[in-house]
Amino acid sequence: MARRALKLASLTAAASGIYMYGNKFLDPNDFGIVRVGRAIATTAVITYDYLTSLRSVPYGTEEYEFLKSQIKELFVSFEDTPLGAASLAQVHKAVLQDGRTVAVKIQHPKVQAQSSKDILLMEVLLLVVKQIFPDFEFMWLVEEAKKNLPLELDFLHEGRNAEKVAYMLKNFDFLKVPRIYWELSTRRVLLMEFMEGGQVNDRAYMERNGINVNEISRNLGKLYSEMIFVNGFVHCDPHPGNVLVKKCPTSGKAHIILLDHGLYQVLSESFRMDYCRLWQALIKADMKRVQKYSRRLGAGDLYPLFACMLTARSWESVNRGIDQSPVSASEDMEIRSNAAAYLPQITQLLNNVPRQMLLLLKTNDLLRGIESALHTRASASSFLNMSRCCIRAVSTYQRSKSLSLYRRAQISLTEALSLWQINLYELFLWLKGSQLGNWVIALLRRMHHSTY
């Protein structure tokens, strides 16, 4: 049955492949750090290819009608027009014979054959550019493409990632990951539960549907802090088309729907611990430890630039404490102008840091873009959630390395006290910003004055 789905869905993709390059469906955010070289080098070639050879079954011919009749054996309905399309695949809505509504993700037929040529072309072009501009250090793009593109082209791998992250984050009841229908899936066709909602950066949609914007931003931060610091298994393509929000009609709770699980980064234990401790140092504005752990992560003497890139804050703000004040318009402008001025140093840094860092930097940028669209950037709650996850991750690691029962108990006590302090500080912030808190503060002041 899966083979039949592959054949029919692939041919359907051929018949509707032209939608890939319609402005309605092409998401510019899909071309991330791993695909950028490929996109620049071969867009014209691939466009021509999809518009000609992929439409190999002419619309309205006898063969086309025969394929349409075979599709009806699997689906009650199958929408020819894709819900969305990108560089590797497109997604159709369909209804199975048993009544289940599904999303059918179909890989473009020539992507497999074309991908190795694209990588080779990208490698040649980057080598040529490096000969002209010796400071141009972007060969890591080729290395990342060689490693990640074959994984993204294997939809069974994507399905396994979806199931793994759903199990890993099962304690978050607000997270929804589409169920995979394995009996109808192959390496090039993925059938999954159909889910819909508004894009996570659509503030207007949330306001119309009574969804708390701050809650969504806070919960998204929780998800990614858990993935990065605690589990070391990170969904690295959180652009708005892959993260949807929807209010549950029965419970009234807002759900976050996580889609497209092809691109994940697995973090080694040593990298994850250094990254945890670096963020702890950044949040505490401990410059000695910022320097120490930045160097351990390959930044060398460029550690101030590395800290600024991670936090998207100025060096002055990093020294003062990134949780002390939100990003101002002038600081944002300073960051943008410095990005161009320090391009050689940035390319050197990207070439020196561990490869695990590259997709994390991309992920951080995408998440910050969402926060900016929702006007929730640099909120105190996001840093508190990060701190909790870092404390838990480091404590778990320390316990695993300790043979002494007394030492493990000591680590657990320190962890509990640290988490309690964060909870107390969060309560203080909540009281400070709430009407109840203002009433309590006013009452305490009156009691203080009446005493004297």
Side-chain angles (χ1 to χ4, degrees), residues 132-301:
I132 302 171
F133 304 103
D135 292 334
F136 188 85
E137 297 286 353
F138 277 100
M139 290 309 297
W140 51 266
L141 271 173
V142 178
E143 296 168 19
E144 287 299 293
K146 286 179 178 178
K147 182 184 75 173
N148 290 310
L149 194 54
L151 296 176
E152 289 190 80
L153 291 172
D154 182 359
F155 288 175
L156 295 180
H157 176 76
E158 177 177 343
R160 289 190 291 270
N161 284 345
E163 288 196 341
K164 181 175 179 177
V165 81
Y167 177 78
M168 190 177 74
L169 302 176
K170 62 181 183 297
N171 292 331
F172 293 119
D173 59 357
F174 57 82
L175 174 65
K176 301 298 173 187
V177 177
R179 177 187 171 192
I180 305 299
Y181 298 123
W182 292 107
E183 71 276 11
L184 291 170
S185 296
T186 71
R187 288 173 61 90
R188 289 184 50 221
V189 177
L190 190 65
L191 263 75
M192 65 201 105
E193 179 184 3
F194 178 77
M195 291 185 173
E196 59 185 341
Q199 292 193 354
V200 72
N201 64 343
D202 191 343
R203 188 183 177 97
Y205 169 87
M206 295 187 208
E207 290 173 350
R208 287 196 307 271
N209 289 275
I211 297 173
N212 187 314
V213 173
N214 290 316
E215 181 186 356
I216 291 295
S217 182
R218 186 166 57 249
N219 286 343
L220 189 62
K222 285 180 182 178
L223 286 179
Y224 271 86
S225 291
E226 193 80 14
M227 281 192 272
I228 293 169
F229 300 114
V230 178
N231 294 286
F233 185 69
V234 189
H235 180 291
C236 287
D237 202 11
H239 71 69
N242 289 339
V243 186
L244 307 180
V245 294
K246 187 176 183 180
K247 191 170 186 177
C248 178
T250 52
S251 67
K253 291 183 178 179
H255 291 159
I256 293 177
I257 302 167
L258 199 58
L259 306 175
D260 197 347
H261 299 270
L263 187 60
Y264 271 74
Q265 179 67 66
V266 179
L267 308 179
S268 68
E269 187 175 65
S270 59
F271 175 92
R272 185 166 56 88
M273 287 301 102
D274 285 340
Y275 195 63
C276 280
R277 288 172 171 132
L278 174 57
W279 269 105
Q280 286 180 308
L282 287 166
I283 292 169
K284 294 176 182 177
D286 184 342
M287 291 301 107
K288 286 186 178 179
R289 287 169 65 85
V290 167
Q291 180 177 353
K292 175 183 176 180
Y293 289 107
S294 294
R295 288 183 180 277
R296 287 183 63 162
L297 288 168
D301 292 336

Side-chain angles (χ1 to χ4, degrees), residues 419-439:
L419 293 173
W420 180 79
Q421 286 177 328
I422 292 175
N423 291 338
L424 192 63
Y425 181 60
E426 189 171 43
L427 177 63
F428 166 74
L429 291 177
W430 179 80
L431 287 172
K432 186 179 178 182
S434 68
Q435 289 184 343
L436 175 62
N438 292 333
W439 180 80

Side-chain angles (χ1 to χ4, degrees), residues 316-376:
E316 181 184 348
S317 294
V318 171
N319 276 274
R320 189 170 57 243
I322 54 177
D323 62 339
Q324 296 302 307
S325 60
V327 183
S328 64
S330 59
E331 184 182 0
D332 193 51
M333 183 64 68
E334 178 188 347
I335 293 165
R336 291 175 186 274
S337 60
N338 284 344
Y342 288 98
L343 186 58
Q345 290 85 351
I346 291 172
T347 58
Q348 180 186 342
L349 189 57
L350 293 176
N351 199 51
N352 291 342
V353 296
R355 293 292 166 259
Q356 298 167 77
M357 182 63 69
L358 299 175
L359 284 177
L360 285 189
L361 288 169
K362 173 202 171 187
T363 303
N364 285 346
D365 285 342
L366 289 171
L367 291 172
R368 269 194 289 269
I370 292 170
E371 289 179 343
S372 295
L374 298 179
H375 308 300
T376 58

Side-chain angles (χ1 to χ4, degrees), residues 7 9 55 76 183:
K7 179 181 177 183
R55 292 178 61 85
V76 174
E183 71 276 11

